[in-house]
Amino acid sequence: MASRCPRCGRPVASSARRCPSCDKVLRSPVDLATPRPTELPAVTRPKPPRSTAEIRTEAAVERTRAGVRTGMRFWRWLPRRAKFVLAGVVAVLVIGVPAAIWVVGKVAYAPEEPVEDLVAAFEDRDYARVAELAGCTARLCRSGVLGEGYTPPSDLEIAEVAMGGSTSPDTADVVLRYQLAGERRESIIRVRRESGVLPKSWSIRSGVVGSLEIVAPTVKSARVAGLQVDPSAGGRESALIGTYTVRVGDDPLYESAPIDATVAGDLRTSRSTSVDVRTTVKQSARDEVATQVRAFLEGCAGQDAVKPKVNDRPCPFSARQPQAFSTDFAWKLDPAPEFEVVVPDRPREGVVLEVRTTKPGSAVFSYTAQNQPFQYDPVPVSVKGDVYLTDGKIQFFAT
C-alpha cells in the first residue's frame, strides 16, 4: 500500500524509509529491539592510583582525631578555673577580646570564690590562711595564738550571693552560715575586686573580722586564747569569727573564772564584743598579806614602848606614860583583831589591795612601879593598811 510524503506530497512505497523525491526521513532506522542506553550494563573503570596529597591528607585527619581524644582527656583532668581560662583563650581566637574578657572575668573569677577558700581554711584549721584571706594582721589573727582557747565556726556553708548591681558591679555580698557557741548564725561577707578592663579576682573586704574589748581595771594582764593583753591600756583587739576564752593572765594578785567571748554576726558595722572580767583576789595573795599583818602585830606586841612602832610605822595601840621610875613595860595582844584583804573601793596610786578590820582585838599595857605590877585597862585594836606590788612582790604597809 502506497503512502504520500508529508513534505512534498508525492506517493512513496509503504516500506520506504526515505522519500525518493525530497529525501525526507519517513521512518527511524533504529530497531525497536535495540536496547536503550539506560538499559546498557555499567562500565567499570579501574581506580586511578592514590596521589601523595591524598595520602598526606588522610594521615593528617588521623592525627587530628588522636589529638582530639587526648585533648578531651586533658580537659576532664583540668581544674575548674583552668577550664574557664582556657575557654577565655578560645573565645579570644573565635569571638574576640571583649567576649573573652567577659568569660574570664565573669565566670572564672566568681565572687564567692574567696569565701569558698575561707570555708576550706576554717575546716582545715589553717588559721594563717584564714587571716590572709580575711586581710587581718592583728595579734589575735596570728596562727600562733589561735590554738588553745579558740573555737572556730563549724558547718560553714554559703547561703546566698548578692551582686552589687549595675551601680556597683565590682562588689558583692556573700551570706555565710555557720555553727558557733551552740547556735546557727550567719555573717554577710563583703567581697570586692578592682575595676578595670582586664579581669581580676575577688577579695574579702569585711565580714570576717570583729573586735574584742577586755574590761578588767584591776589587772594589767589578761589572756585571750593564747595572747596576753593589758586591759588597763584600753583599746580593742581585732579578732576573727569564733569563740575566745578570756581569763586573768599571769597576775600575782588576781584570778578569774574563764569567760567565753563570741565574735560573730554582721561584722560590716564594726561591732565590738565587750568582756567584763570579774576578778577575785588569789588565796595565795590573801595568805601572804595576812602573814605580813600578823608579823606586824606581833612586832608591835613585842615592843616595850608606850607608843610602839615597827619599821617607823605606828602600831594600832598605845598607852599614856606611867609614873616616873616605872619599869618592865610590856604589851599583851589578846585577842588579835580579825581582818580582811579586799580590793580598794576607789583606785589610788600604787595601792592594789587594802586591809580592813572586821572584828577589833584587845591590847593590855603593863609595867612595874615600886616593885608592884600595874596594868592599864584593855584598849581596842584595829588594823588597817595598804598593799603594794613592788617588783612583783607583795608588801603591806600599816596606816
Side-chain angles (χ1 to χ4, degrees), residues 259-314:
I259 302 173
D260 288 336
T262 300
V263 177
D266 186 1
L267 305 181
R268 295 177 303 165
T269 57
S270 301
R271 290 174 53 191
S272 178
T273 300
S274 181
V275 183
D276 189 1
V277 181
R278 300 292 182 177
T279 60
T280 57
V281 181
K282 285 183 176 180
Q283 187 60 45
S284 59
R286 295 177 187 274
D287 293 342
E288 175 62 25
V289 174
T291 298
Q292 294 186 25
V293 172
R294 293 190 185 99
F296 171 72
L297 293 175
E298 290 174 1
C300 289
Q303 300 295 314
D304 57 358
V306 176
K307 296 181 179 180
K309 291 183 179 180
V310 174
N311 296 328
D312 293 330
R313 291 280 175 176

Side-chain angles (χ1 to χ4, degrees), residues 97-118:
V97 174
I101 293 177
W102 187 90
V103 170
V104 176
K106 301 296 184 181
V107 182
Y109 295 99
E112 66 271 20
E113 185 172 311
V115 184
E116 291 175 349
D117 294 342
L118 180 76

Side-chain angles (χ1 to χ4, degrees), residues 4 39 42 46 55 109 119 137 146 154 164 175 177 213 226 260 276 283 291 303 318-319 340 342 354 357 363 393:
R4 293 183 178 275
E39 297 175 352
I55 295 174
Y109 295 99
V119 170
T137 58
L146 297 179
S154 60
V175 179
R177 291 177 181 166
E213 182 181 17
D260 288 336
D276 189 1
Q283 187 60 45
T291 298
Q303 300 295 314
S318 61
E340 63 179 357
V342 296
E354 286 182 349
T357 297
K393 295 182 179 180

Side-chain angles (χ1 to χ4, degrees), residues 23-302:
D23 199 26
K24 178 177 174 55
V25 177
L26 300 176
R27 190 173 59 176
S28 173
V30 180
D31 190 359
L32 295 177
T34 302
R36 298 177 180 178
T38 57
E39 297 175 352
L40 294 175
V43 178
T44 304
R45 297 180 180 181
K47 295 182 178 180
R50 297 173 63 192
S51 64
T52 303
E54 290 177 340
I55 295 174
R56 291 179 177 176
T57 301
E58 184 176 346
V61 170
E62 290 300 326
R63 287 195 297 270
T64 301
R65 291 176 178 173
V68 170
R69 289 193 295 270
T70 303
M72 291 303 295
R73 289 195 295 269
F74 177 72
W75 176 264
R76 289 192 293 269
W77 174 80
L78 283 176
R80 176 174 177 265
R81 171 176 287 186
K83 289 180 180 179
F84 286 124
V85 172
L86 184 58
V89 173
V90 173
V92 168
L93 302 176
V94 178
I95 57 179
V97 174
I101 293 177
W102 187 90
V103 170
V104 176
K106 301 296 184 181
V107 182
Y109 295 99
E112 66 271 20
E113 185 172 311
V115 184
E116 291 175 349
D117 294 342
L118 180 76
V119 170
F122 267 124
E123 291 176 348
D124 294 340
R125 299 296 190 267
D126 187 354
Y127 301 130
R129 177 61 174 161
V130 171
E132 178 185 0
L133 291 167
C136 182
T137 58
R139 297 186 299 171
L140 268 180
C141 294
R142 299 171 186 170
S143 58
V145 301
L146 297 179
E148 182 182 358
Y150 172 70
T151 303
S154 60
D155 300 331
L156 299 96
E157 63 175 358
I158 296 176
E160 184 181 351
V161 179
M163 298 299 297
S166 59
T167 59
S168 184
D170 295 317
T171 62
D173 287 340
V174 182
V175 179
L176 180 66
R177 291 177 181 166
Y178 49 89
Q179 194 77 17
L180 184 64
E183 298 182 15
R184 194 65 178 169
R185 304 169 184 260
E186 69 177 31
S187 291
I188 300 178
I189 300 177
R190 173 66 56 83
V191 296
R192 183 178 177 83
R193 64 179 175 184
E194 298 297 329
S195 59
V197 177
L198 296 178
K200 297 180 181 179
S201 60
W202 297 78
S203 60
I204 297 174
R205 293 305 175 92
S206 64
V208 186
V209 180
S211 63
L212 272 175
E213 182 181 17
I214 309 303
V215 180
T218 60
V219 298
K220 292 186 177 296
S221 175
R223 190 175 185 87
V224 182
L227 179 67
Q228 294 281 353
V229 300
D230 184 0
S232 62
R236 301 173 180 177
E237 295 287 339
S238 295
L240 298 169
I241 293 174
T243 300
Y244 298 80
T245 300
V246 182
R247 57 167 59 88
V248 173
D250 299 331
D251 192 286
L253 297 176
Y254 302 101
E255 62 184 358
S256 71
I259 302 173
D260 288 336
T262 300
V263 177
D266 186 1
L267 305 181
R268 295 177 303 165
T269 57
S270 301
R271 290 174 53 191
S272 178
T273 300
S274 181
V275 183
D276 189 1
V277 181
R278 300 292 182 177
T279 60
T280 57
V281 181
K282 285 183 176 180
Q283 187 60 45
S284 59
R286 295 177 187 274
D287 293 342
E288 175 62 25
V289 174
T291 298
Q292 294 186 25
V293 172
R294 293 190 185 99
F296 171 72
L297 293 175
E298 290 174 1
C300 289

